Amino acid sequence: MGIKQQIRITTKPELLREYMKKEHLTQEQFALACGVSRAFICNTLQGKSKHQTKTLGKVLKVAGITFEEFFDVEFLF
């Protein structure tokens, strides 16, 4: 029987915080620019969001961040 590999996926909300700080945006302003709710931005910044690809894609696009940059994938053996 083969070995099952596990992965841990975490996010890097600090990238969004850095963007918001650089652009002098509040959570509300950033949410409006992205077309998402402030609650979604708040949860994402806290690392609590269950990410919906389409919604998160809007946020990352505005911030100029790729999915590859935002997610950290660690392979556990």
Side-chain angles (χ1 to χ4, degrees):
M1 182 151 204
I3 298 173
K4 292 183 180 181
Q5 186 174 9
Q6 296 181 350
I7 59 172
R8 180 180 330 172
I9 301 173
T10 55
T11 61
K12 299 176 191 171
E14 66 274 6
L15 297 176
L16 294 176
R17 282 191 210 96
E18 291 170 9
Y19 173 79
M20 291 171 58
K21 183 177 179 180
K22 180 183 81 167
E23 297 297 322
H24 307 286
L25 296 172
T26 64
Q27 289 182 13
E28 184 68 31
Q29 291 168 327
F30 187 46
L32 285 171
C34 297
V36 301
S37 70
R38 189 196 66 77
F40 183 84
I41 295 297
C42 183
N43 288 335
T44 301
L45 292 173
Q46 293 177 10
K48 296 180 181 178
S49 183
K50 293 183 180 178
H51 300 291
Q52 299 172 3
T53 305
K54 186 175 181 179
T55 306
L56 183 60
K58 292 178 183 181
V59 173
L60 296 180
K61 183 176 182 178
V62 169
I65 300 169
T66 66
F67 280 96
E68 292 82 5
E69 292 168 325
F70 187 71
F71 287 100
D72 186 32
V73 179
E74 180 181 357
F75 293 92
L76 309 170
F77 296 95

